[in-house]
Amino acid sequence: MKNVISISVGEVALKKGKRNFFEKKLLGKIKAATRDLGSPNVYRELGKMYVEVNEDNIDKVINRVKKVFGLVHLSPAYKIEKNLDSIKVNSLKALKEAIKKRKIRTFKVDCKRADKKFPVNSMEVAREVGAYILQNTEDLKVDIHNPDIYVYVDIRQKVYIYTEKIYGYGGLPLGTNGKGLLLLSGGIDSPVAGFMIAKRGVSIEAVHYHSYPFTSERAEEKVKDLAKIISMYTGEIKLYSVNILNIQKAINKYCPPSEMTIISRRFMTKIAESIANINNIDCIITGENLGQVASQTMKSLNVTNSSVNIPILRPLIGFNKTEIIEIAKDIETFETSILPFEDCCSVFLPKHPVTSPELRDIEESEKVLDVEGLIEDAINKMKITTISI
């Protein structure tokens, strides 16, 4: 008998002609996520994946693997010899282990037989195993409709026994759906946006805008801390840090105060597009949410969109703030996001920002600025850091 983690894939199983490609990607991501935990053997077997683990570090491996996108659930399991006696003995053992952790009065044996050559069919295996458990325990009953626990028997090239399902995030394996550039602020929304798009298989790089020395170095460290948390799900992240203080000063000096926010936003988007074009990145990702602030009204978003040609993905556009906070707490970015450090958007913040900007008015205001020169200068001075856990 060996201890393994049994992994069930979700959407990947629906990819038909591309399934092998997606499974290889997922296999690689699982290996990368566990490399520093002893590089356990990871393999595929008849539509599922397995990680061989030592009993000592099984919890660490589970915690790491469940953050890999593309898997639906995983289970600590016994990998055993393929005969009915072994199935009975180890099913009973797995159930007794579960009883040590919580009160269990009823159970059901759920058998799946992917290997149709196994001489006993699934229903008969379940019946035999259930009878064996009843003979060797006290005060347990079978409940086929609403049991306290399922004993899963998975018959493949080997047999796998487990009683627990730990749910992952689903989605698609990272790197199967292009690359995106996340506009990462120190707030609650943008880390969640990056997580959600990464879950759809998009590799993530990030750009952060600051106004040092008007904003503090600690504010930038906070963003790096957020990138580090996100990297638990995405792997290594390249972070571009861009100082836009000179751009903000120019806007403040030459443009109407009410347009400060929307013109700054257009500059940020243009800089992101330039970074994306230089680094073969397919899209920009933002944490914008319709109607949340002046730069996120429908008209403001249209004016921002018109500044670039690259696609802008906004996965939070229809979310309530409470929904975003729930996800932020789940992915462990919330506590860092609410630390009280200022960001570049608070510099030269107008008292009455325009909420229904007209594109022709904004473009007219921008004519007095050296847009290309300011962007080129900002990019030339940006710093690049590689962030990982």
Side-chain angles (χ1 to χ4, degrees), residues 10-25:
E11 284 182 62
V12 169
L14 305 175
K15 294 301 180 184
K16 294 186 178 178
K18 285 284 189 179
R19 179 168 178 167
N20 191 47
F21 164 76
F22 281 91
E23 285 191 349
K24 282 185 175 178
K25 279 283 187 182

Side-chain angles (χ1 to χ4, degrees), residues 54-121:
N54 297 320
E55 197 168 356
D56 295 342
N57 70 346
I58 190 167
D59 290 340
K60 288 182 181 176
V61 175
I62 286 174
N63 188 49
R64 200 69 70 76
V65 172
K66 74 179 184 182
K67 293 183 173 71
V68 175
F69 297 133
L71 61 91
V72 175
H73 57 76
L74 59 161
S75 303
Y78 298 146
K79 177 183 177 183
I80 62 172
E81 293 301 317
K82 195 157 54 177
N83 62 69
L84 192 53
D85 287 341
S86 180
I87 292 172
K88 290 177 181 176
V89 170
N90 286 289
S91 295
L92 177 63
K93 181 181 178 181
L95 182 54
K96 286 187 172 179
E97 285 297 317
I99 289 173
K100 291 178 184 175
K101 299 175 184 174
R102 63 187 175 98
K103 192 173 183 62
I104 294 169
R105 293 178 176 172
T106 60
F107 73 97
K108 177 182 178 180
V109 178
D110 185 330
C111 177
K112 288 191 169 51
R113 192 176 56 133
D115 178 7
K116 302 302 182 189
K117 294 179 181 176
F118 190 71
V120 186
N121 67 38

